[in-house]
Amino acid sequence: MAKTTSTTTSIYSFSARALNGEEISFERYRGRPLLIVNTASECGFTPQYKGLQNLYQQYAARGLEVLGFPCNQFGKQEPGDAEQIGNFCERNFGVSFQLFEKIEVNGENTHPLFRYLKTEAPGLLGLKRINWNFTKFLVNRDGEVLRRYGPPKKPDEIAVDIEKVL
């Protein structure tokens, strides 16, 4: 489990633009467990959208929010614009959880949220880099980043950890 750093930054200090262009403050999610995922529409892991939607449907009434952040940095597997991404996810996987505009998760233009997530829950060997699409971060009701899951970890396999934070 990751430890929170001793800074004034918290998960609630971030905001991101939704697919519809609305700027969403993470303050909106205070007191709710979060599963934050970088996604892509043309990836071998894209079928995980279905599992993410299943988790959202199963646990939303108990507070879980699933937040998807499309990213085109890995094999250019998210080439669409916001409208195309939204239509694809809804049509193919029935996605009703919150999706945001495309962001970068590595490099000079890393979205501040993902810079924070990578610091709070580094990957294997302490690496602060996202290796591929569908990396997942679990955040508890207090805003603490608890865990990072690599792309191969299927959403249903982390349900037991989600149960613990509900």
Side-chain angles (χ1 to χ4, degrees):
M1 295 287 178
K3 297 289 182 207
T4 303
T5 58
S6 58
T7 67
T8 56
T9 302
S10 81
I11 196 83
Y12 306 117
S13 64
F14 298 101
S15 66
R17 194 170 307 280
L19 286 181
N20 67 4
E22 174 190 0
E23 189 72 20
I24 296 178
S25 167
F26 271 53
E27 188 62 42
R28 171 187 291 190
Y29 303 116
R30 186 175 289 276
R32 301 178 71 94
L34 307 174
L35 185 63
I36 301 171
V37 187
N38 70 302
T39 62
S41 298
E42 297 179 2
C43 175
F45 295 114
T46 299
Q48 287 190 22
Y49 268 125
K50 181 177 182 180
L52 294 169
Q53 179 62 27
N54 289 343
L55 286 176
Y56 181 62
Q57 288 177 310
Q58 182 176 356
Y59 297 118
R62 293 172 60 193
L64 180 70
E65 293 285 349
V66 176
L67 308 176
F69 286 84
C71 178
N72 195 39
Q73 287 187 287
F74 305 103
K76 305 220 181 288
Q77 295 178 341
E78 188 57 271
D81 62 21
E83 184 177 359
Q84 291 168 324
I85 292 166
N87 289 339
F88 172 85
C89 291
E90 186 177 339
R91 181 180 63 248
N92 293 296
F93 301 102
V95 168
S96 61
F97 57 83
Q98 184 64 60
L99 291 172
F100 293 86
E101 287 185 352
K102 253 192 297 198
I103 63 161
E104 291 187 14
V105 298
N106 289 323
E108 183 178 311
N109 297 315
T110 298
H111 189 282
L113 171 66
F114 274 80
R115 188 170 287 117
Y116 176 78
L117 292 169
K118 295 185 302 184
T119 298
E120 295 296 298
L124 290 176
L125 305 175
L127 296 176
K128 293 181 182 168
R129 174 171 180 71
I130 303 289
N131 291 326
W132 204 255
N133 303 308
F134 291 89
T135 297
K136 302 156 207 67
F137 294 88
L138 182 61
V139 179
N140 70 14
R141 290 182 184 275
D142 297 323
E144 181 182 3
V145 182
L146 296 179
R147 191 133 186 222
R148 175 181 181 155
Y149 306 89
K153 185 67 97 174
K154 294 178 183 170
D156 64 328
E157 295 174 323
I158 60 178
V160 69
D161 290 342
I162 290 171
E163 286 277 347
K164 291 175 187 174
V165 299
L166 295 172

